[in-house]
Amino acid sequence: MVKIAVMGYGVVGSGTVEVFYKNLSSIETKIGDNAEIKYILDLRDFSGTPYDDKFIKDFNTILNDPEITVVAEVIGGLKPAYDFVKSLLEAGKSVVTSNKELVAEKGAELLHIAREKKVNFFFEASVGGGIPIIRPLHHCMSANEIDEIAGILNGTTNFILTKMINEGMAFDEALSTAQKLGYAERNPAADVEGHDACRKICILASLAFGKHVYPKDVHTEGITEVTLEDVQYCNDFGGAVKLIGWAARRGGKAAVMVCPAFISEESQLSSVNDVFNAILVRGDATGDVVFYGKGAGKLPTASAVVSDIIMAAKMHGNSKSLYWETSDGEFILDYKELKNKFYLRLICGDKAAAVKQAEKMWGKVKILHRDQESENEIAFITEEVSERQFESDCAELAKSAEIKGKIRVLDY
């Protein structure tokens, strides 16, 4: 009999218990043994559930019970999740989690402990909700050198941008709609400012490149400055505005960033709409492989958690391929050294002079148009330029024109 504990009974925790018991017969067949959830840890009181006898409030009950071999951590955040998970691994219990913040900040350390104790730390649900991506990266694509990963990693921001693109909603209206539908939190900062996507690309980059990528080392921009005018100019460009988390090998280092970007309609990412996520993995043998689906939600995320529970319960020893080393962050390139094309929108008194100045700085520019553009407004796409140079040039350009929008143009 495999005995399991679930820590946290919020949206994902309750979904995990629901999926586990709904599909218990097939889960036991896959594990090759009987299985039960012995404990559900939560400080709140629950009554009227079929699992009333399983609720506990003391973490030590789980830690000190030798019958518990697999624990699902779905509390979220770093405190107390980190201390709990570390103690469980050190006690020789496998842990599965949906906690992207925990994995992004402490993944290397926790994977090292799991390896030492010959148990497992699994986190399929931490990126992409129900989309399988972690296991394919370290199992199915293990013959590849992963050169690049790029993705729409946050369903909330993708929903907002879809509303702006397809229905002409302003950002504030689209955000309000997302909140009313339950796609965005009352405080949406983690989503709209890019922090959620940053944690996810850090996990993917760490796994792909073998060294821990910390969120503090990743240049991150959200979508709060994206306007309807920008979206309309992107339509003339021939694409869509998306919040993209991306990571790429650059020699012996890695370039990692989260930012809104113009994505060409030829890209598989440009047509990903609403709350759906998509992750493009570029391997040296496979070429481009795209993983697509709902990136969040109670049951899709719970599905990934339960899948990890099954894997942890049936494994003997540690998964050697799911691992990365600690790092000091020095292998992450300074984003200002990277080169990109840029979209720029200006308000200026002399459009011809602005274009002339822009082309002196960046070479030939591609002029964009939109309906109802004002007489003193101009937008264009630059040639490729370093981030550092572009930032310096924009400071000079701002002396004669008002910069109303600037967004990177990415080739994915």
Side-chain angles (χ1 to χ4, degrees):
M1 169 75 77
V2 176
K3 298 199 174 182
I4 299 150
V6 175
M7 300 193 302
Y9 197 68
V11 173
V12 178
S14 60
T16 297
V17 176
E18 179 182 338
V19 170
F20 181 87
Y21 280 109
K22 176 176 178 289
N23 298 323
L24 180 59
S25 177
S26 65
I27 287 169
E28 289 181 328
T29 298
K30 288 161 187 166
I31 291 174
D33 197 352
N34 294 329
E36 72 162 345
I37 294 174
K38 185 174 182 180
Y39 303 119
I40 302 171
L41 176 70
D42 203 295
L43 295 179
R44 297 167 296 176
D45 291 317
F46 295 90
S47 59
T49 77
Y51 321 112
D52 285 357
D53 60 327
K54 299 180 184 296
F55 282 96
I56 61 170
K57 296 184 179 181
D58 185 359
F59 164 71
N60 288 307
T61 302
I62 296 171
L63 181 65
N64 297 323
D65 188 337
E67 288 191 327
I68 299 296
T69 56
V70 181
V71 181
E73 183 278 303
V74 284
I75 301 169
L78 285 179
K79 293 292 184 180
Y82 166 65
D83 293 329
F84 286 0
V85 170
K86 183 177 179 181
S87 296
L88 289 165
L89 292 171
E90 289 175 337
K93 301 178 190 294
S94 290
V95 177
V96 309
T97 185
S98 61
N99 190 338
K100 64 188 77 71
E101 184 176 3
L102 175 67
V103 183
E105 295 287 354
K106 303 292 186 180
E109 178 188 355
L110 297 174
L111 285 166
H112 180 73
I113 296 170
R115 177 169 285 190
E116 279 194 331
K117 296 297 181 178
K118 296 181 173 57
V119 293
N120 285 292
F121 178 54
F122 291 153
F123 41 87
E124 184 65 63
S126 67
V127 181
I131 304 171
I133 182 61
I134 302 298
R135 197 166 293 120
L137 269 183
H138 74 96
H139 272 304
C140 307
M141 297 188 72
S142 59
N144 285 256
E145 188 87 346
I146 304 300
D147 298 315
E148 297 187 47
I149 298 176
I152 296 166
L153 302 171
N154 181 273
T156 299
T157 51
N158 203 44
F159 176 85
I160 291 169
L161 290 170
T162 300
K163 288 294 182 183
M164 294 174 72
I165 294 166
N166 292 346
E167 299 181 29
M169 286 188 182
F171 171 81
D172 289 343
E173 183 184 0
L175 172 57
S176 177
T177 301
Q179 289 172 319
K180 288 174 184 175
L181 292 173
Y183 296 146
E185 302 289 343
R186 184 181 298 273
N187 179 359
D191 293 321
V192 299
E193 293 177 6
H195 304 308
D196 177 79
C198 177
R199 290 164 184 153
K200 293 172 181 175
I201 196 61
C202 284
I203 294 169
L204 295 176
S206 298
L207 184 54
F209 303 148
K211 292 185 179 181
H212 197 118
V213 176
Y214 294 94
K216 66 180 178 61
D217 297 321
V218 175
H219 180 72
T220 301
E221 299 175 14
I223 65 167
T224 56
E225 301 300 317
V226 177
T227 67
L228 272 178
E229 291 85 357
D230 301 327
V231 167
Q232 291 163 357
Y233 279 119
C234 188
N235 184 59
D236 186 51
F237 159 77
V241 183
K242 299 293 181 182
L243 183 69
I244 301 293
W246 64 273
R249 292 182 189 272
R250 293 288 188 270
K253 294 195 172 187
V256 190
M257 185 183 291
V258 174
C259 62
F262 278 22
I263 301 294
S264 168
E265 62 188 4
E266 297 176 359
S267 166
Q268 296 175 81
L269 299 180
S270 70
S271 59
V272 177
N273 291 324
D274 296 317
V275 295
F276 284 82
N277 285 192
I279 304 164
L280 183 152
V281 180
R282 189 165 286 167
D284 64 343
T286 60
D288 290 355
V289 179
V290 176
F291 300 84
Y292 170 84
K294 285 189 176 180
K298 177 178 180 176
L299 296 184
T301 305
S303 168
V305 173
V306 174
S307 174
D308 275 351
I309 289 173
I310 294 168
M311 186 63 64
K314 66 196 272 188
M315 278 199 71
H316 299 288
N318 175 262
S319 173
K320 298 294 189 292
S321 60
L322 183 58
Y323 191 76
W324 60 77
E325 300 286 347
T326 58
S327 75
D328 56 11
E330 288 188 4
F331 85 109
I332 302 298
L333 280 171
D334 180 353
Y335 85 96
K336 291 187 179 181
E337 304 304 318
L338 304 175
K339 289 185 176 182
N340 286 300
K341 293 182 179 180
F342 288 86
Y343 150 85
L344 205 61
R345 180 166 66 92
L346 308 175
I347 300 295
C348 55
D350 188 336
K351 294 187 347 184
V355 170
K356 185 176 180 180
Q357 185 178 5
E359 293 192 330
K360 184 178 179 181
M361 292 172 171
W362 305 310
K364 188 68 175 176
V365 300
K366 178 184 178 182
I367 305 297
L368 301 178
H369 297 283
R370 69 180 182 92
D371 292 339
Q372 300 177 329
E373 67 181 57
S374 64
E375 290 185 4
N376 62 346
E377 180 181 66
I378 188 167
F380 51 81
I381 305 291
T382 72
E383 292 293 329
E384 197 172 72
V385 58
S386 78
E387 296 267 351
R388 188 183 305 280
Q389 186 64 50
F390 182 74
E391 189 175 296
S392 174
D393 290 342
C394 282
E396 183 64 27
L397 188 61
K399 295 176 182 178
S400 57
E402 183 182 1
I403 298 175
K404 300 294 288 185
K406 50 184 178 180
I407 298 175
R408 292 168 184 85
V409 180
L410 299 181
D411 183 21
Y412 284 112

